[in-house]
Amino acid sequence: MEPEEAVRQLEYSIDASLDEIGQRAAAGYRPTFERVAERADGAAVYDLAGELSQEVADGSCPSPSEANDVADRVLDDWAFTDGGE
């Protein structure tokens, strides 16, 4: 999954679950998704999108800083399980 597609999918999830503030928050995730894509692969981007989408489905709207924390966990898991850098 490409970072742009992940952000777009998250925007759709947030728009469906929260108010207009969600879209602005989702756009702030783009650098996080790009960082994950650079350090890992599309599967890691997909994992990040899934985790953030689950938080949105649970009624939360993670800040970009919180999204970075989730990305760090995804990258740590990816490096551990897939032998990443």
Side-chain angles (χ1 to χ4, degrees):
M1 178 178 282
E2 295 296 319
E4 298 82 14
E5 178 63 21
V7 170
R8 186 171 29 257
Q9 293 302 319
L10 209 56
E11 286 173 345
Y12 295 152
S13 296
I14 290 171
D15 286 346
S17 303
L18 302 171
D19 60 18
E20 293 176 16
I21 294 172
Q23 188 171 9
R24 286 192 293 267
Y29 301 153
R30 181 161 296 152
T32 301
F33 280 104
E34 289 172 350
R35 179 171 62 93
V36 170
E38 288 172 6
R39 296 176 123 189
D41 60 13
V45 172
Y46 184 82
D47 289 346
L48 175 59
E51 288 196 32
L52 292 175
S53 293
Q54 184 60 52
E55 290 190 30
V56 169
D58 291 342
S60 174
C61 182
S63 70
S65 175
E66 292 167 328
N68 274 323
D69 292 342
V70 174
D72 289 341
R73 286 193 307 271
V74 167
L75 288 170
D76 286 347
D77 288 347
W78 178 83
F80 180 73
T81 59
D82 293 339
E85 298 176 33

